[in-house]
Amino acid sequence: MPARNMVQALNLALREEMERDDRVVVLGEDVGKDGGVFRITDGLLERFGEERVMDTPLAESAIVGTAIGMSLYGLRPVAEIQFMGFIYPAFDQIFSHAARMRNRSRGRFSCPLVIRTPYGAGIKAPELHEESTEAFFCHMPGIKVVVPSGPSMAKGLLASAIRDPDPVVFLEPTRLYRLVKEEVPDGDYTIPIGQARVVREGSAITAIAWGSMLERTVRALEDFDAEIIDLLTLSPFDSETILRSVDKTGRVVIVHEAPRTCGFGAELAATIAEEAILSLRGPVLRVTGPDVPVPLAKLVDHYLPGAARIRAAVEELLRY
Amino acid sequence: MDTRLRAILPDQQLLKFYEQMTLCREFEESCAEQYTKGHITGFLHLYSGQEAVAVGATAGLHPDDYILSAYREHPQAIVRGADPKVVMAELFGKATGLCKGKGGSMHLFEPELAFMGGYAIVGGQFPIAVGLAFASKYRREDRISVCFFGDGAVNQGNFHEGLNWARLWELPVLFICENNFYGIGTEVRRSSALADIHKRTCGYDIPSEKVDGMDVIAVYQAVKHAAEWVSGHGRPYLIEAVTYRFRGHSMSDPGRYRSPAEVELWKERDPIPNFARRLIDEGIATEDTLACMRAKAAVLVEEAVKFAEESPWPEDDEVCNDVYAPVGEEVCPWLK
């Protein structure tokens, strides 16, 4: 199996899904001739032509709205929003329409569309180019939210997202785009949406992370007997895998880069409190970004949960 | 040019226009009554006064063309072919409704009729109409996408994004503005720098025209011509149908922003009696024939109310259904 970075893996997933199904089309700002600002769609225009790989006006609401229209009548559009911070003009289309078409029409309409967007901090850019506002989308019944943590996960999950009958917000951790290479299978390879992955087994503590925080959490906890869960799908999330682990360890730390208040960690903590309170030996701790806009360059190292903060939380929990 | 009705359409079609407009009026007035009785809840936006637009426009389209509309859309769904019983049941929130009692007044959907939804968010439907037109073009289908909207929608970003996009990609979209002069209580001249809505397409190189939206024949002719143009050229077109709503924005709107004199002036232009006069003057119908049609419409609406009243409520566990696709479900099974 060839070693690929996440950019190459995502590009391969798009290419293969487009070859597999001519209903799949790609649209977004600069995705065609330019190949996308992060080069995820590089070469697709040459391979599939302008009818299937479309440079759009700089109009996020219309990008998502047009994709909804395409999907309502049987196409499977993959829309790119250039940065997660640019998605807010499209909020209305995502929340008011894409998320509700199925419910509003009592199951007769579906929006099988994917909205891909670079997500998260760590590329030394300021706010709006380093957003991690995944919790907004998890609060939208009808939307699925997926965050890969590495190249092979990215490929398998994107293929599943494109084949999924519901609208999927697919968040690509920008920091991971070119960080590592790993073996990524060619051909028909999918990872199911809605399933978390136990990255490392352990018995003293459960650590839950997603996106670029996973790699950071794994490294930070090398010397601990920690069970590490890569959530992968945030909505609908895999509570079964989490609860099974909590039952075993009795201690939970959740790591996310998004601001703390109403971050997705709060939902996980609430679920654990509701479902597994008797298994807990201590409080569910969250290691998160502070409640501020993402800062620029130097300060971002202070903003993002780092190894020291993750370890400190774990050490605190182990005292219980 | 021969402007007599018979020179334009056969008698049967002309009488159908009258029948449909009457049914729309009866239906909407009955909705008002059901709202007052508490059978219809929430917000209810009635179409009375604008019937010539829905009836004339729908007749000018092909049955396969996609239709999207805003939140004043009951008559558009009915004229398209939705059963008034099923629409009324939907407004009541009953399990037998068009969307099984969950979409309600502002969100009617009927895929079998290519009626692609009412949209409660002003202007939300523009890009969706554009996407449907793309899907049609991509699939090499000869269907156009028809996007109804009100005068209030033209200052939304989605209007401009949608028009630009449709022209840029050369997509078959027919935009139909029902200009009834008021976005709730704000008159179009107080909200739009250029109140002649059809002129606003010049920035997007989209041809447009204004039509008398109180004249069913004028609307029919304009829409038929425009739909053929859109289909033939594969490019968008915009019609501004000038019309008027006889009631407030919704049932909770007393309409204090309009003078009684203004409303009366427009009621003299009521599309239904005016069309009736033309039918009688040209010997196409007698007063008796038309009275008979009105009675028939009243019966249909009475039956619709009875059906809605007697229909069951949705089961409680329905509340969690239809949010995500069931595992293994085929998407759009009705798609040919």
Side-chain angles (χ1 to χ4, degrees):
Chain A
M1 265 190 292
R4 295 179 166 108
N5 65 25
M6 193 187 275
V7 170
Q8 294 164 325
L10 290 165
N11 184 276
L12 183 64
L14 288 168
R15 196 177 284 266
E16 287 181 355
E17 290 306 303
M18 291 182 81
E19 273 162 7
R20 193 180 155 270
D21 183 351
D22 65 9
R23 296 172 303 173
V24 180
V25 296
V26 166
L27 70 159
E29 292 156 12
D30 310 304
V31 298
K33 216 168 170 182
D34 187 48
V37 294
F38 286 101
R39 302 281 170 269
I40 308 298
T41 53
D42 200 26
L44 297 183
L45 176 69
E46 291 75 7
R47 169 69 184 79
F48 298 102
E50 282 186 342
E51 202 186 11
R52 297 184 68 192
V53 183
M54 294 163 273
D55 282 318
T56 67
L58 209 163
E60 286 80 8
S61 179
I63 291 171
V64 174
T66 301
I68 293 170
M70 292 173 174
S71 71
L72 276 181
Y73 234 84
L75 299 189
R76 288 179 173 262
V78 182
E80 177 176 305
I81 299 293
Q82 207 156 58
F83 283 89
M84 193 172 194
F86 304 174
I87 206 168
Y88 310 128
F91 231 66
D92 176 43
Q93 288 293 336
I94 300 172
F95 192 38
S96 305
H97 303 305
R100 297 166 198 234
M101 283 298 180
R102 170 166 285 274
N103 191 252
R104 196 179 280 164
S105 64
R106 281 293 205 173
R108 290 191 295 175
F109 279 81
S110 221
C111 278
L113 66 91
V114 178
I115 302 167
R116 297 179 33 251
T117 192
Y119 148 90
I123 55 163
K124 302 199 183 302
E127 55 148 337
L128 296 174
H129 296 72
E130 298 222 343
E131 306 279 285
S132 50
T133 46
E134 65 267 30
F136 289 153
F137 301 94
C138 297
H139 197 61
M140 298 179 178
I143 296 286
K144 294 179 177 174
V145 181
V146 171
V147 188
S149 54
S152 65
M153 292 293 119
K155 190 198 169 204
L157 283 167
L158 184 56
S160 293
I162 292 170
R163 298 179 198 184
D164 198 273
D166 294 310
V168 179
V169 172
F170 192 89
L171 304 175
E172 300 168 359
T174 323
R175 198 169 71 85
L176 302 185
Y177 270 152
R178 292 184 168 81
L179 190 71
V180 289
K181 279 191 173 186
E182 66 182 18
E183 292 190 345
V184 176
D186 285 307
D188 195 5
Y189 166 68
T190 57
I191 291 172
I193 289 176
Q195 276 183 26
R197 179 176 69 118
V198 176
V199 177
R200 203 177 86 192
E201 295 203 9
S203 58
I205 189 163
T206 299
I208 307 169
W210 53 92
S212 79
M213 286 299 104
L214 180 79
E215 170 259 356
R216 208 165 258 221
T217 304
V218 169
R219 272 195 295 123
L221 300 183
E222 267 168 3
D223 301 331
F224 292 84
D225 180 17
E227 179 143 300
I228 298 175
I229 295 176
D230 179 6
L231 202 53
L232 295 174
T233 301
L234 272 56
S235 179
F237 74 94
D238 179 1
S239 58
E240 212 173 289
T241 296
I242 292 172
L243 294 172
R244 200 182 310 123
S245 179
V246 174
D247 198 39
K248 181 166 71 173
T249 65
R251 300 183 184 93
V252 189
V253 63
I254 300 161
V255 184
H256 66 63
E257 61 178 278
R260 186 178 188 82
T261 303
C262 294
F264 197 66
E267 180 60 35
L268 296 176
T271 302
I272 292 163
E274 282 170 347
E275 304 287 333
I277 189 82
L278 296 177
S279 303
L280 290 177
R281 298 188 201 184
V284 176
L285 292 186
R286 290 174 290 164
V287 183
T288 72
D291 289 335
V292 299
V294 185
L296 185 63
K298 184 72 184 95
L299 282 173
V300 84
D301 292 335
H302 188 63
Y303 170 94
L304 285 173
R309 281 170 61 202
I310 298 169
R311 276 198 290 267
V314 167
E315 280 160 4
E316 183 189 337
L317 263 182
L318 288 174
R319 287 196 285 274
Y320 283 90
Chain B
M1 198 173 72
D2 195 345
T3 56
R4 286 170 307 153
L5 296 177
R6 273 197 173 127
I8 298 164
L9 280 167
D11 287 11
Q12 202 189 355
Q13 182 65 53
L14 295 164
L15 291 171
K16 195 175 165 198
F17 282 176
Y18 184 80
E19 191 180 14
Q20 287 183 324
M21 287 197 291
T22 308
L23 177 62
C24 292
R25 180 70 57 87
E26 283 286 339
F27 187 91
E28 294 293 75
E29 294 305 308
S30 170
C31 285
E33 191 188 329
Q34 297 307 317
Y35 187 86
T36 313
K37 287 180 177 171
H39 292 156
I40 297 174
T41 56
F43 295 93
L44 184 68
H45 312 86
L46 299 176
Y47 198 70
S48 298
Q50 301 182 204
E51 293 86 351
V53 183
V55 170
T58 307
L61 302 173
H62 190 274
D64 278 349
D65 293 338
Y66 306 120
I67 292 180
L68 297 90
S69 188
Y71 48 78
R72 203 179 296 286
E73 88 288 24
H74 321 148
Q76 276 154 345
I78 289 170
V79 172
R80 185 61 159 186
D83 185 341
K85 285 182 182 164
V86 176
V87 175
M88 189 64 86
E90 182 62 31
L91 306 188
F92 274 54
K94 295 296 185 77
T96 53
L98 192 65
C99 303
K100 297 183 188 155
K102 214 172 195 173
S105 169
M106 296 179 258
H107 306 114
L108 299 175
F109 270 92
E110 182 44 279
E112 312 282 351
L113 299 169
F115 190 81
M116 310 304 277
Y119 291 80
I121 299 297
V122 174
Q125 68 270 38
F126 288 112
I128 301 177
V130 169
L132 279 162
F134 176 86
S136 168
K137 186 177 175 181
Y138 187 82
R139 295 158 67 94
R140 311 281 186 267
E141 292 176 349
D142 183 26
R143 339 169 112 177
I144 69 167
S145 182
V146 182
C147 181
F148 288 94
F149 57 99
D151 47 279
V154 302
N155 299 316
Q156 286 278 11
N158 277 324
F159 172 76
H160 300 276
E161 293 184 22
L163 259 62
N164 177 59
W165 198 306
R167 178 65 182 88
L168 185 70
W169 285 12
E170 306 210 328
L171 297 175
V173 189
L174 174 56
F175 297 100
I176 302 179
C177 176
E178 299 193 59
N179 181 3
N180 65 21
F181 294 103
Y182 292 87
I184 302 192
T186 303
E187 209 237 333
V188 66
R189 282 176 203 289
R190 295 177 57 229
S191 64
S192 293
L194 178 60
D196 289 315
I197 287 163
H198 65 286
K199 292 183 183 166
R200 297 180 70 161
T201 63
C202 66
Y204 306 105
D205 188 26
I206 293 175
S208 65
E209 68 183 286
K210 184 154 102 173
V211 64
D212 180 0
M214 303 303 265
D215 178 351
V216 68
I217 298 297
V219 174
Y220 163 75
Q221 288 182 307
V223 170
K224 189 170 190 325
H225 169 262
E228 281 163 6
W229 191 93
V230 167
S231 174
H233 290 74
R235 271 166 44 193
Y237 193 98
L238 184 143
I239 289 175
E240 175 188 357
V242 177
T243 183
Y244 202 77
R245 58 171 154 78
F246 291 165
R247 288 179 164 275
H249 162 74
S250 73
M251 284 297 287
S252 47
D253 171 21
R256 290 197 195 99
Y257 45 84
R258 310 190 296 194
S259 73
E262 178 187 306
V263 177
E264 281 316 306
L265 202 67
W266 278 94
K267 281 192 173 170
E268 282 169 24
R269 304 194 52 216
D270 188 328
I272 301 176
N274 282 330
F275 188 58
R277 254 193 305 281
R278 288 173 74 184
L279 290 172
I280 292 167
D281 288 351
E282 294 191 27
I284 296 161
T286 63
E287 182 50 60
D288 282 352
T289 330
L290 299 182
C292 195
M293 289 169 100
R294 287 196 296 273
K296 199 175 133 203
V299 169
L300 279 176
V301 172
E302 251 171 59
E303 284 171 1
V305 170
K306 188 161 182 282
F307 175 79
E309 278 173 347
E310 290 172 358
S311 288
W313 295 104
E315 299 290 333
D316 286 353
D317 58 8
E318 272 291 340
V319 76
C320 290
N321 289 349
D322 303 317
V323 178
Y324 296 100
V327 175
E329 189 209 61
E330 191 194 340
V331 173
C332 308
W334 34 265
L335 223 177
K336 285 178 214 113

